[in-house]
């Protein structure tokens, strides 16, 4: 959920290398064969870069029948965050407070707060119920490249392309903000997150470096870099759900598995021929899934460090997500198509269409039954998997 803007920049850089060739391979707009979404939200008036799925609420229709809906948050180039309901598409709140595109949007662990991060270097924290601005977090001097809430509290860490990452604690009742630490010493920060236990912060930067920070001291406990690591910018990273491992992907197509406790590189998965845009650990079978602009979703066996399967997408893959309760991988492409893969037999069990342009952001619900996708076509689409 952390690298949407970074993915956009990588895709744009690749497209600029050969405009004539890219115009043929990636036309501005596609015509889907069908519409699979149960809801298409079109209240944004420009490209949408990020989306997240919030809490479930019950509303009533005109017949006074209960309807289960989800609060969705989305943001993009129109400089607004929008809170709305799916599947009805009802707009709840407009979050206005940024002067440039919103690159990040994310609910906290209780889903009662939502944060927006922008290319203006500002992070705003909002009350989900009434849409009011709680806090405006300022400090970074350049665009916000990643944003992550603490898994158990109202602390938020953000990383900026100015090379700094900031950790704040927000008290929603008093609206007071405390800057807990600033982490510097990295090059342009491209991605990052808390570890699952919330005890460390991980960042990746455009010099191919991954750092693991101590939130209390503000110092890096571990740094991965050099000839045996990534040679180009880090595009994505994800920590293991119950261990001290980190998977990281790069523009150079490399994929590394590291252990920040032993400070060692565990595996080098060299199989992609283009930028790795998304990675995630599967909930079963001890696999790591990676998606690349080379059009492949690769599954790696973490026990043997071997490639288990290479799943062919229709075009470049820009995001990969693994639901926590199912043996599945969800992948999104730069021609607006989402695929669902069964990791047990390596088969594509569902293809979801509807978008007319590239997908920039992908979010899935806790049980994996709801998918939200944000696109350059100015829409957010909601799909159900069952």
């Amino acid at each position: 959920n952390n690298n949407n803007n970074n993915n956009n920049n990588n895709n744009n850089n690749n497209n600029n290398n050969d405009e004539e060739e890219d115009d043929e391979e990636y036309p501005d707009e596609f015509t889907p064969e069908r519409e699979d979404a149960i809801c298409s939200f079109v209240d944004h008036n420009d490209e949408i870069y990020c989306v997240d799925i919030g809490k479930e609420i019950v509303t009533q229709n005109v017949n006074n029948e209960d309807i289960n809906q989800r609060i969705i948050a989305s943001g993009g180039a129109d400089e607004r965050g929008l809170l709305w309901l799916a599947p009805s598409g009802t707009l709840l709140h407009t979050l206005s407070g940024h002067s440039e595109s919103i690159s990040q949007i994310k609910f906290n662990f209780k889903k009662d707060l939502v944060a927006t991060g922008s290319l203006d270097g500002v992070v705003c924290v909002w009350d989900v119920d009434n849409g009011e601005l709680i806090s405006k977090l300022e400090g970074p001097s350049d665009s916000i490249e990643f944003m992550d809430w603490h898994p158990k509290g109202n602390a938020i860490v953000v990383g900026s392309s100015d090379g700094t990452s900031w950790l704040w604690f927000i008290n929603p009742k008093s609206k007071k903000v405390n800057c807990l630490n600033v982490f510097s010493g990295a090059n342009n920060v491209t991605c990052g997150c808390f570890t699952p236990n919330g005890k460390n912060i991980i960042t990746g930067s455009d010099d191919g470096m991954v750092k693991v920070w101590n939130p209390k001291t503000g110092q890096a406990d571990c740094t991965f870099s050099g000839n045996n690591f990534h040679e180009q910018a880090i595009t994505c990273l994800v920590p293991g759900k119950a261990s001290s491992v980190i998977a990281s992907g790069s523009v150079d197509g490399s994929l590394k598995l590291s252990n920040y406790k032993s400070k060692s590189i565990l595996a080098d998965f060299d199989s992609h021929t283009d930028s790795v845009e998304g990675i995630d650990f599967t909930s079963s079978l001890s696999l790591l899934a990676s998606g690349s602009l080379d059009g492949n979703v690769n599954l790696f066996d973490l026990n043997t460090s071997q490639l288990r399967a290479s799943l062919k997408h229709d075009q470049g893959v820009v995001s990969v997500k693994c639901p926590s309760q199912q043996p599945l991988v969800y992948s999104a492409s730069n021609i607006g198509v989402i695929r669902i893969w069964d990791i047990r037999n390596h088969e594509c069990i569902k293809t979801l269409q509807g978008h007319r342009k590239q997908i920039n952001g992908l979010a899935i619900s806790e049980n994996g039954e709801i998918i939200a996708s944000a696109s350059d076509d100015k829409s957010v689409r909601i799909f159900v998997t069952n």
Side-chain angles (χ1 to χ4, degrees):
N1 324 1
N2 300 333
N3 311 313
N4 295 334
N5 187 59
N6 185 54
N7 289 343
N8 295 336
N9 293 336
N10 291 335
N11 295 341
N12 290 335
N13 291 336
N14 279 281
N15 289 345
N16 291 334
N17 290 336
D18 192 337
E19 294 182 1
E20 188 171 318
E21 178 182 343
D22 287 346
D23 286 344
E24 295 179 3
E25 292 186 5
Y26 308 113
D28 289 339
E29 189 166 314
F30 317 101
T31 303
E33 296 177 358
R34 61 185 184 274
E35 178 62 79
D36 295 318
I38 64 167
C39 170
S40 179
F41 182 77
V42 293
D43 282 23
H44 285 281
N45 52 35
D46 211 331
E47 297 171 349
I48 307 172
Y49 299 141
C50 46
V51 64
D52 198 14
I53 299 175
K55 60 186 176 183
E56 187 176 48
I57 65 172
V58 178
T59 63
Q60 290 186 324
N61 62 15
V62 293
N63 298 320
N64 293 322
E65 298 169 328
D66 288 345
I67 302 175
N68 292 325
Q69 302 209 72
R70 285 287 192 132
I71 298 179
I72 307 295
S74 53
D78 61 6
E79 302 173 5
R80 301 180 302 157
L82 298 182
L83 293 177
W84 49 281
L85 294 177
S88 70
T90 302
L91 179 65
L92 297 176
H93 306 294
T94 299
L95 313 177
S96 300
H98 292 288
S99 61
E100 292 191 45
S101 300
I102 291 178
S103 56
Q104 309 288 325
I105 198 161
K106 196 164 188 179
F107 291 101
N108 68 338
F109 75 114
K110 286 186 177 180
K111 300 189 183 299
D112 58 350
L113 303 177
V114 65
T116 54
S118 170
L119 300 186
D120 61 14
V122 175
V123 174
C124 292
V125 179
W126 313 82
D127 186 300
V128 170
D129 291 335
N130 57 32
E132 292 184 359
L133 177 65
I134 291 178
S135 302
K136 197 168 189 177
L137 312 178
E138 296 178 297
S141 61
D142 210 337
S143 60
I144 304 301
E145 298 296 320
F146 84 84
M147 185 172 66
D148 194 30
W149 287 96
H150 191 279
K152 297 179 181 179
N154 287 327
I156 189 170
V157 61
V158 304
S160 170
S161 56
D162 68 4
T164 63
S165 297
W166 296 66
L167 177 63
W168 288 285
F169 179 80
I170 298 98
N171 186 325
K173 292 184 178 180
S174 66
K175 297 187 178 182
K176 290 184 178 180
V177 177
N178 183 19
C179 180
L180 301 179
N181 232 319
V182 180
F183 312 94
S184 58
N187 210 12
N188 295 355
V189 177
T190 56
C191 53
C193 61
F194 279 104
T195 55
N197 60 13
K199 294 182 178 180
N200 293 95
I201 294 166
I202 310 170
T203 62
S205 51
D206 69 357
D207 55 3
M209 187 178 298
V210 171
K211 285 180 173 286
V212 181
W213 303 89
N214 185 318
K216 294 181 179 180
T217 66
Q219 301 300 309
D221 289 343
C222 181
T223 300
F224 294 101
S225 63
N227 296 331
N228 294 325
F229 207 57
H230 300 288
E231 297 180 358
Q232 296 183 39
I234 307 297
T235 53
C236 50
L237 56 81
V238 60
K241 294 177 174 62
S243 63
S244 54
V245 300
I246 308 167
S248 53
S250 170
V251 170
D252 60 22
S254 62
L255 181 62
K256 308 287 185 179
L257 188 69
S258 312
N259 187 308
Y260 63 86
K261 292 295 185 183
S262 63
K263 300 181 180 181
S264 59
I265 300 173
L266 304 178
D268 183 353
F269 302 114
D270 185 15
S271 65
H272 287 296
T273 59
D274 207 336
S275 178
V276 178
E277 296 294 302
I279 47 179
D280 204 359
F281 292 97
T282 63
S283 61
S284 60
L285 302 185
S286 297
L287 300 177
L288 175 67
S290 62
S292 167
L293 292 181
D294 64 13
N296 293 325
V297 175
N298 288 345
L299 300 178
F300 298 95
D301 190 316
L302 297 175
N303 295 318
T304 65
S305 300
Q306 299 297 311
L307 178 65
R308 178 77 68 86
S310 188
L311 315 175
K312 306 296 181 183
H313 225 288
D314 21 34
Q315 281 292 353
V317 179
V318 295
S319 184
V320 167
K321 301 284 185 182
C322 297
S324 60
Q325 302 173 18
Q326 301 178 53
L328 303 174
V329 173
Y330 302 164
S331 57
S333 76
N334 55 9
I335 62 168
V337 175
I338 298 170
R339 291 186 180 272
I340 302 177
W341 311 86
D342 190 321
I343 63 174
R344 295 165 297 187
N345 56 21
H346 311 149
E347 295 291 331
C348 178
I349 60 175
K350 187 170 287 189
T351 300
L352 302 173
Q353 299 187 38
H355 283 297
R356 307 183 72 88
K357 291 188 177 182
Q358 169 177 303
I359 293 172
N360 297 317
L362 190 70
I364 61 176
S365 61
E366 298 84 351
N367 57 13
E369 294 180 357
I370 301 172
I371 301 173
S373 53
S375 170
D376 277 352
D377 65 11
K378 305 178 187 178
S379 78
V380 176
R381 279 173 157 77
I382 305 296
F383 304 90
V384 292
T385 61
N386 53 6

